[in-house]
Amino acid sequence: LSTGDILRLEISEKTEIGKLAKSFIDKGELVPDDTLLIMMNNRLNKDDVKTGYLLDGFPRTITQAKGLDLILKELGHKIDSVISLFGNEDELVNRLLNRGLNSGRSDDSIKIIRNRQEIYRNQTFPLLNYYKDMNLLINVNGVGAITDINNEIVKIVNKYA
Ligand code: C5P
Ligand code: MG
C-alpha cells in the first residue's frame, strides 16, 4: 500500500482529502498527520488487507507511527518488520530527476526533491530509532542494482508470507 499513490488517487478524484493534500505534496511537504491517519485507518479497515500487507511511505513522522500503533491495536494487527532503505542523497536526487522525466509527478523537480530530503532528515529519520527500540528495524542498502535490492526486500517479506 503506497501512501503516496493513495494520496495521488485522492487528488485525481478531487476528494476533500485530495484537495487538502495537493498543496502540501506540490511543495514537497508532509500532509498533516491527522489527515494521513484518517486516510490510513479507512484503508486498513478494508477487506483486502486481512491476510497481510506492506506499507510504503508511511508512517513518515513519530506522530503517524504512534497513530498507526493505535489503529493496528484496534484491528488486532501487528508489525512484523520495518525496512529502511538507505541511499546516498545525491544519487537519490539523480534517480528522482530521472523518474520525473516520465512520472508526471509535480514533486519530482530539483527544488522540491531537496525539500523532501530536508523533511526526511527532520521528521522521518527519527523513526529509525523508534522502530530500532521496538526491535523491528531492518536496514537494506538502497544503493546498487534494482534487482539486487528487490531480491533483498522480497527475502525479508517472504519470511512473513
Ligand atoms: O511516498 P511518496 O514519495 O510517493 O509521497 C509523495 C508525497 O506525498 C510526499 O512528498 C508527501 O508530500 C506526501 N506524503 C505524506 N505523508 C506520507 C506519505 C506521502 O505527506 N505518509
Ligand atoms: Mg512512494
Side-chain angles (χ1 to χ4, degrees), residues 14 26 39 47 52 56 78 89 93 128 133 143 160:
K14 298 195 165 58
D26 284 349
M39 188 179 90
D47 282 341
D56 166 27
K78 75 168 186 44
E89 286 206 7
V93 171
L128 298 185
D133 288 346
V143 181
Y160 305 101

Side-chain angles (χ1 to χ4, degrees), residues 91-148:
E91 150 115 19
L92 297 179
V93 171
N94 285 333
R95 285 188 198 170
L96 292 174
L97 285 176
N98 253 326
R99 180 175 75 179
L101 299 176
N102 314 305
S103 70
R105 276 180 56 165
S106 54
D107 56 350
D108 280 342
S109 67
I110 185 74
K111 198 170 137 244
I112 306 298
I113 291 168
R114 291 287 184 197
N115 197 34
R116 284 156 66 195
Q117 288 182 320
E118 175 80 20
I119 286 186
Y120 174 85
R121 273 193 294 273
N122 294 334
Q123 300 193 55
T124 306
F125 186 73
L127 284 178
L128 298 185
N129 263 332
Y130 181 82
Y131 287 119
K132 194 165 166 242
D133 288 346
M134 291 167 86
N135 268 322
L136 291 173
L137 191 70
I138 300 179
N139 284 298
V140 169
N141 182 4
V143 181
I146 291 175
T147 46
D148 293 340

Side-chain angles (χ1 to χ4, degrees), residues 53-55 78-84 131 134-139 156-157 159-160:
Y53 48 91
L54 177 69
L55 295 171
K78 75 168 186 44
I79 298 174
D80 293 309
S81 264
V82 174
I83 299 172
S84 167
Y131 287 119
M134 291 167 86
N135 268 322
L136 291 173
L137 191 70
I138 300 179
N139 284 298
I156 297 166
V157 172
K159 276 199 251 170
Y160 305 101

Side-chain angles (χ1 to χ4, degrees), residues 85 140-141 145-156:
L85 280 161
V140 169
N141 182 4
I146 291 175
T147 46
D148 293 340
I149 302 167
N150 187 65
N151 288 342
E152 202 54 42
I153 295 170
V154 169
K155 242 195 278 171
I156 297 166

